């Protein structure tokens, strides 16, 4: 087959830490949804807590931040909102606690700033009314008081999750919130934004590109100036499968590499096969999950400088083996991942990021002081292989392999004509000129069909005379007729 339904890897729930694994399985059971949905969102929850606060030191200067972009594609009626609420509620609780803890300092700074401004204003008024011989000294005092007032910084209200995912909003939240913010949505509006639905011009993707890689981001416009040293954006979103096809047609999203930054999951819908009375989530399982996520988020919020998570030698060996196994698959000719090399070239780094998240989830008390273990890395690599399997299917939906699509079009033409043998010139008269504007455009499709055994090229018979050379001829496989 040139293309066909792929065998998708099951979500390796056993790779998650025990407290998280139990909750993911319980959520999948109570909501009667694929375990992939809760499992993938659980990684986004961990990335919301740890993103921008920790990095994985792989080797040398290779460091991976621990934020992730995760997209799950499921049809309607799959209870996505219920799963999102169960997984993300502790993040909102943690955000509320961060706000409550910050309130006294915010109020104090606001009062200090107001008092300093009032004092500076009074000094200016006094200087304005003073006699000329007193005015200079009073103005010096007023200027000093004004500088003091300007130097008072009022802390921002802590925020973990962005309600609005426009590029401008995400950039502003990053600048305010210590270079990190998370976007989690059961509806996947971010893909609409990427498609430029709410913009009259080309979509502004810069913050989403740099927010994944951690590259410096500077915004210098008339309305605002913002500088983010190490932006860390996390995304956990759900989309309907047809949205992937639509976003795959947006050249800006694919061409600039944004789609290559997402980890995709395409679980099989359970609609039509669900229990009417599933087992509810055990109270203890939910309590442990809630308490652990809150504790993890609050603890990591205090890490102003990203903590470097080290790999032990065995963990690094596992990651290196995964890298060595993946590299040949990136080849354009014959590589399983060659047509999505922009995505697949990042999957080893994604596995390192996931390993860091699993590590902090397992060692909340002293994650930086303990190296990432071989077992944790093996789980992360298994998750990387899971996302590779689903990524191939996602990019099939998004039309990432145009040669296979065009070869399928040629195959349909050959079946319709019923030719046992044909020339390239014959074929050019039958195919769509919009798809194959020149005879040379047929070559990749014909080569792929020959590789798969549908065609066999015939030796070109040279006449030795002048004029146009004979058109290449092909035999078709008997099963096509």
């Amino acid at each position: 087959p040139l293309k066909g339904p792929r065998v998708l890897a099951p979500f390796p729930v056993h790779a998650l830490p025990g407290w998280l694994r139990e909750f993911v399985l319980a959520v999948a059971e109570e909501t009667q949804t694929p375990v992939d949905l809760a499992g993938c969102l659980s990684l986004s929850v961990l990335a919301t807590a740890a993103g921008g606060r920790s990095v994985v030191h792989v080797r040398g200067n290779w460091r991976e931040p621990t934020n992730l972009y995760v997209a799950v594609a499921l049809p309607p009626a799959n209870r996505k909102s219920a799963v999102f609420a169960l997984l993300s509620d502790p993040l909102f609780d943690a955000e509320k606690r961060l706000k409550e803890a910050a309130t006294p300092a915010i109020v104090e700074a606001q009062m200090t700033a107001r008092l300093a401004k009032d004092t500076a204003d009074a000094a200016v008024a006094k200087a304005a009314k003073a006699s000329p011989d007193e005015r200079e000294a009073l103005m010096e005092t007023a200027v000093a008081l004004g500088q003091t007032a300007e130097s008072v910084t009022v802390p921002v209200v802590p925020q973990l999750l962005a309600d609005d995912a426009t590029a401008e909003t995400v950039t502003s939240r990053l600048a305010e919130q210590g270079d990190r913010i998370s976007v989690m949505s059961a509806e996947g509006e971010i893909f609409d934004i990427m498609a430029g639905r709410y913009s009259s011009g080309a979509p502004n993707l810069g913050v989403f590109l740099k927010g994944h890689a951690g590259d410096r981001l500077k915004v210098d416009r008339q309305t605002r100036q913002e500088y983010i040293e190490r932006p860390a954006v996390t995304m956990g979103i759900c989309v309907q499968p047809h949205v992937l096809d639509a976003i795959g047609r947006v050249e800006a999203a694919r061409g600039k590499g944004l789609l290559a930054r997402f980890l995709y999951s395409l679980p099989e819908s359970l609609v039509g096969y669900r229990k009417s009375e599933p087992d509810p989530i055990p109270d203890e399982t939910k309590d442990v999950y809630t308490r652990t996520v809150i504790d993890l988020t609050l603890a990591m919020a205090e890490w102003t400088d990203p903590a470097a998570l080290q790999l032990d030698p065995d963990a690094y060996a596992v990651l290196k083996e995964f890298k060595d196994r993946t590299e040949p698959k990136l080849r354009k000719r014959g590589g399983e991942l060659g047509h999505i090399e922009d995505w697949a070239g990042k999957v080893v780094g994604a596995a390192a990021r996931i390993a860091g998240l699993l590590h902090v989830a397992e060692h909340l008390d002293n994650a930086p002081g303990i190296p990432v273990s071989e077992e944790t890395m093996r789980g992360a690599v298994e998750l990387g292989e899971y996302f590779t399997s689903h990524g191939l299917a996602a990019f099939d939906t998004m039309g990432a392999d145009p040669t296979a699509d065009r070869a399928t079009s040629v195959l349909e033409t050959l079946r319709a004509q019923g030719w046992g043998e044909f020339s390239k010139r014959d074929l050019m008269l039958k195919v769509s000129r919009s798809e194959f504007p020149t005879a040379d455009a047929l070559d990749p499709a014909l080569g792929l069909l020959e590789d798969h055994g549908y065609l066999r090229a015939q030796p070109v018979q040279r006449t030795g005379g002048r004029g146009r050379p004979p058109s290449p001829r092909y035999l078709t496989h008997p099963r096509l007729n």
Side-chain angles (χ1 to χ4, degrees):
L2 295 173
K3 290 174 67 175
R6 294 184 181 273
V7 178
L8 298 178
F11 186 84
V13 68
H14 56 269
L16 302 177
W19 63 271
L20 189 56
R21 177 174 63 249
E22 290 181 11
F23 186 69
V24 164
L25 290 171
V27 168
E29 168 64 20
E30 179 174 294
T31 60
Q32 288 295 285
T33 53
V35 71
D36 312 54
L37 177 56
C40 289
L41 292 179
S42 74
L43 295 177
S44 295
V45 169
L46 295 178
T48 300
R53 295 296 182 263
S54 60
V55 296
V56 178
H57 182 199
V58 180
R59 67 185 297 270
N61 292 314
W62 181 8
R63 296 184 174 218
E64 290 288 344
T66 51
N67 54 306
L68 296 175
Y69 289 5
V70 179
V72 183
L74 270 174
N78 268 279
R79 300 168 180 166
K80 299 183 288 290
S81 295
V83 177
F84 264 85
L86 288 166
L87 269 294
S88 63
D89 277 352
L91 292 175
F92 286 99
D93 290 342
E95 185 179 86
K96 182 179 178 181
R97 295 193 189 189
L98 288 171
K99 290 178 179 178
E100 290 172 349
T103 297
I106 293 173
V107 172
E108 181 180 354
Q110 288 172 338
M111 296 302 294
T112 300
R114 184 186 304 173
L115 180 60
K117 184 179 183 303
D118 290 345
T119 302
D121 290 344
V124 171
K126 183 177 179 180
K129 296 176 182 178
S131 60
D133 58 330
E134 296 178 331
R135 186 169 300 159
E136 183 176 355
L138 290 173
M139 279 304 299
E140 289 181 2
T141 302
V143 168
L145 290 171
Q147 291 173 341
T148 299
E150 288 294 326
S151 68
V152 177
T153 300
V154 179
V156 296
V157 177
Q159 184 176 349
L160 297 172
L161 298 146
D163 296 328
D164 186 345
T166 65
E168 292 74 17
T169 301
V170 170
T171 303
S172 295
R173 295 295 87 78
L174 282 170
E176 294 171 357
Q177 302 297 325
D179 296 2
R180 68 161 180 169
I181 197 67
S182 178
V183 178
M184 294 189 67
S185 169
E187 302 300 330
E189 300 94 338
I190 183 63
F191 276 90
D192 289 333
I193 294 167
M194 287 191 291
R197 183 168 297 183
Y198 305 118
S199 173
S200 57
N204 179 11
L205 305 179
V207 66
F208 302 116
L209 297 172
K210 295 184 177 181
H212 180 272
D215 296 334
R216 291 183 181 90
L217 178 63
K218 184 177 181 180
V219 177
D220 192 2
R221 298 179 181 171
Q222 287 184 336
T223 55
R224 73 184 195 276
Q225 292 183 335
E226 294 166 329
Y227 177 75
I228 298 104
E229 178 72 21
R230 288 185 295 263
V233 179
T234 287
M235 288 197 232
I237 61 178
C238 215
V239 298
Q240 294 185 25
H242 73 84
V243 174
L244 293 180
D245 176 66
I247 194 65
R249 302 175 192 274
V250 179
E251 181 59 32
R254 181 70 197 273
K256 292 186 178 181
L258 183 57
L259 298 182
R261 285 161 165 78
F262 278 88
L263 298 174
Y264 298 94
S265 173
L266 280 70
E268 185 175 352
S269 171
L270 298 183
V271 174
Y273 300 91
R274 297 176 291 192
K275 300 178 186 176
S276 57
E277 294 185 351
D279 297 332
I281 301 172
D283 290 340
E284 183 179 359
T285 300
K286 185 175 183 179
D287 290 344
V288 169
Y289 172 78
T290 300
R291 184 173 62 252
T292 307
V293 169
I294 291 174
D295 290 347
L296 176 64
T297 305
L298 296 180
M300 300 200 75
E302 298 177 359
W303 296 4
T304 54
D305 292 327
L309 307 175
Q310 306 295 331
L311 307 183
D312 75 16
D314 292 334
Y316 174 72
V318 171
L319 186 66
K320 180 180 179 299
E321 193 275 333
F322 181 44
K323 186 176 187 301
D324 291 341
R325 192 168 71 246
T326 301
E327 187 65 24
K329 298 178 183 179
L330 305 180
R331 296 169 184 166
K332 287 292 188 183
R333 181 74 175 180
E336 178 187 354
L337 305 175
H339 64 294
I340 57 168
E341 63 173 343
D342 54 344
W343 183 92
K346 296 178 176 62
V347 72
V348 176
R353 294 183 184 211
I354 293 171
L357 293 174
L358 300 179
H359 178 72
V360 297
E362 190 73 46
H363 302 285
L364 171 61
D365 295 334
N366 188 26
I370 303 173
V372 177
S373 69
E374 176 187 1
E375 181 182 2
T376 297
M377 184 58 75
R378 289 195 182 280
V381 166
E382 193 168 352
L383 281 160
E385 291 171 335
Y386 164 84
F387 285 118
T388 299
S389 165
H390 287 246
L392 281 165
F395 280 100
D396 282 349
T397 302
M398 292 187 280
D401 193 353
T403 300
D405 291 338
R406 290 169 186 158
T408 300
S409 178
V410 169
L411 199 57
E412 292 170 355
T413 300
L414 294 176
R415 284 194 172 109
Q417 297 302 317
W419 290 327
E421 183 177 350
F422 67 94
S423 71
K424 191 176 178 183
R425 189 173 296 120
D426 296 333
L427 184 60
M428 273 300 292
L429 296 174
K430 299 297 182 180
V431 295
S432 166
R433 285 302 179 94
S434 62
E435 194 169 16
F436 300 99
T438 66
D440 289 343
L442 279 169
D443 291 340
L446 291 172
L448 185 61
L449 289 170
E450 190 173 7
D451 289 343
H452 282 254
Y454 289 96
L455 307 178
R456 180 180 296 166
Q458 297 293 89
V460 177
Q461 301 296 325
R462 301 289 180 182
T463 62
R466 295 183 177 182
R468 185 167 58 178
S471 178
R473 299 192 65 81
Y474 297 85
L475 296 177
T476 59
H477 195 284
R479 291 184 186 175
L480 292 183
N481 303 320

